[in-house]
Amino acid sequence: MFRTLVFHEVRPVEELYEQPRPILVADGYEDALPLPLFDSLPLFQEQINYLKQEGFHSLSISEVRAFYEQGQPLPEKSVLLTFDDCYQSLKEYAYPVLKEAGFQATVFVAAGWLFQTPSRYQPEVSKVLSKEELKEIADVFEYANHTTHFHERRGTTQSRPMWETAEHFKKDLLLCNEQVALTDVFAYPFGLYDQQTVDVLREMNFCLAFTTKSGINTPETAPLELHREVIPYTMPIEVFKTMMETEGK
């Protein structure tokens, strides 16, 4: 059994503003990242330190794949750390903390959002990294599919894979797979999906796909509907510890 944690932005406390922060992405999609998808840097450091001190093992995707496909057991205390969307804070703040702890993590890449060249860190927006910068931090992160241009939404109920045809979705997935190493692993944009989305992934031989539904992943969990815990800055460290202690038993 294991929990999967998902982070989006890790920021110093002084950069946590009380309003949604606009995103800045290469393909021009406009949206805003709400405050619950941010984690404060001090709290993130405390969370990672706790996992390290308590002997948690940070999983690789290959270990999760073997767990579901071959029944390979996982270490007693296992956690899969994930990040979505590749914002600049991934390199600026999350990377050094994870590297120091000796942890690895999986990043879900919206390939169409990546810039061609690096740029200065911009705290006033949620700006996405460049392809070159992802290579620079690949000793800690492995990269998986989060669509190319389909990371878009209509309100809070639909993501683009849900309203496009299956064929258009397939083409978008293939484009993203040209940019990532983990070509059979997916995270649903905004955690939104329907049966057509799942069917397309299965048809294209994706072996793992992650939701944002809370829960522990067990051998009985559907591999294309795996649970992930969204970790917001409002989660007290004691709540985090209790959640992880429950997983470790």
Side-chain angles (χ1 to χ4, degrees), residues 200-236:
V200 168
L201 296 178
R202 184 175 291 111
E203 184 179 341
M204 295 185 67
N205 296 316
F206 278 76
C207 67
L208 303 171
F210 292 85
T211 71
T212 53
K213 295 178 180 178
S214 178
I216 296 175
N217 293 303
T218 72
E220 289 72 40
T221 307
L224 294 183
E225 295 183 78
L226 294 170
H227 302 289
R228 285 200 297 173
E229 309 288 343
V230 178
I231 308 299
Y233 86 105
T234 52
M235 178 181 285

Side-chain angles (χ1 to χ4, degrees), residues 236-248:
I237 188 61
E238 293 306 320
V239 173
F240 180 86
K241 290 179 180 180
T242 300
M243 178 181 71
M244 297 310 300
E245 287 167 1
T246 301
E247 189 281 331

Side-chain angles (χ1 to χ4, degrees), residues 40-246:
S40 76
L41 179 56
L43 183 56
F44 180 71
Q45 290 174 315
E46 195 171 4
Q47 292 161 347
I48 297 302
N49 288 342
Y50 166 78
L51 295 175
K52 182 72 173 179
Q53 292 165 4
E54 292 298 312
F56 276 84
H57 170 72
S58 65
L59 291 166
S60 66
I61 287 296
S62 64
E63 290 174 299
V64 177
R65 188 186 286 113
F67 176 70
Y68 282 104
E69 293 182 352
Q70 302 164 27
Q72 292 289 335
L74 298 175
E76 182 179 350
K77 290 186 174 183
S78 291
V79 60
L80 179 64
L81 303 173
T82 70
F83 291 78
D84 283 2
D85 308 339
C86 304
Y87 296 111
Q88 287 180 320
S89 62
L90 181 73
K91 179 184 178 184
E92 189 80 9
Y93 298 117
Y95 171 74
V97 174
L98 294 172
K99 186 174 178 67
E100 183 176 353
F103 281 179
Q104 58 189 329
T106 300
V107 180
F108 291 99
V109 180
W113 285 17
L114 297 175
F115 289 93
Q116 292 298 319
T117 57
S119 60
R120 66 175 180 84
Y121 176 69
Q122 296 178 242
E124 68 276 8
V125 296
S126 290
K127 186 174 183 179
V128 170
L129 292 166
S130 67
K131 299 175 184 179
E132 180 181 330
E133 289 168 306
L134 293 189
K135 294 177 183 178
E136 294 172 3
I137 54 177
D139 58 328
V140 168
F141 299 116
E142 53 182 352
Y143 303 111
N145 197 313
H146 205 30
T147 79
T148 304
H149 299 293
F150 276 35
H151 196 295
E152 299 181 2
R153 65 185 175 96
R154 289 176 177 169
T156 59
T157 60
Q158 274 195 316
S159 63
R160 189 170 174 181
M162 298 167 68
W163 74 72
E164 292 278 5
T165 67
E167 288 307 312
H168 285 156
F169 182 33
K170 291 175 187 178
K171 290 178 182 178
D172 183 87
L173 290 170
L174 290 173
L175 284 174
C176 186
N177 275 348
E178 295 176 5
Q179 304 293 329
V180 299
L182 299 172
T183 58
D184 58 357
V185 181
F186 186 73
Y188 298 102
F190 312 100
L192 302 173
Y193 66 100
D194 58 11
Q195 190 58 49
Q196 174 183 275
T197 318
V198 177
D199 291 343
V200 168
L201 296 178
R202 184 175 291 111
E203 184 179 341
M204 295 185 67
N205 296 316
F206 278 76
C207 67
L208 303 171
F210 292 85
T211 71
T212 53
K213 295 178 180 178
S214 178
I216 296 175
N217 293 303
T218 72
E220 289 72 40
T221 307
L224 294 183
E225 295 183 78
L226 294 170
H227 302 289
R228 285 200 297 173
E229 309 288 343
V230 178
I231 308 299
Y233 86 105
T234 52
M235 178 181 285
I237 188 61
E238 293 306 320
V239 173
F240 180 86
K241 290 179 180 180
T242 300
M243 178 181 71
M244 297 310 300
E245 287 167 1
T246 301

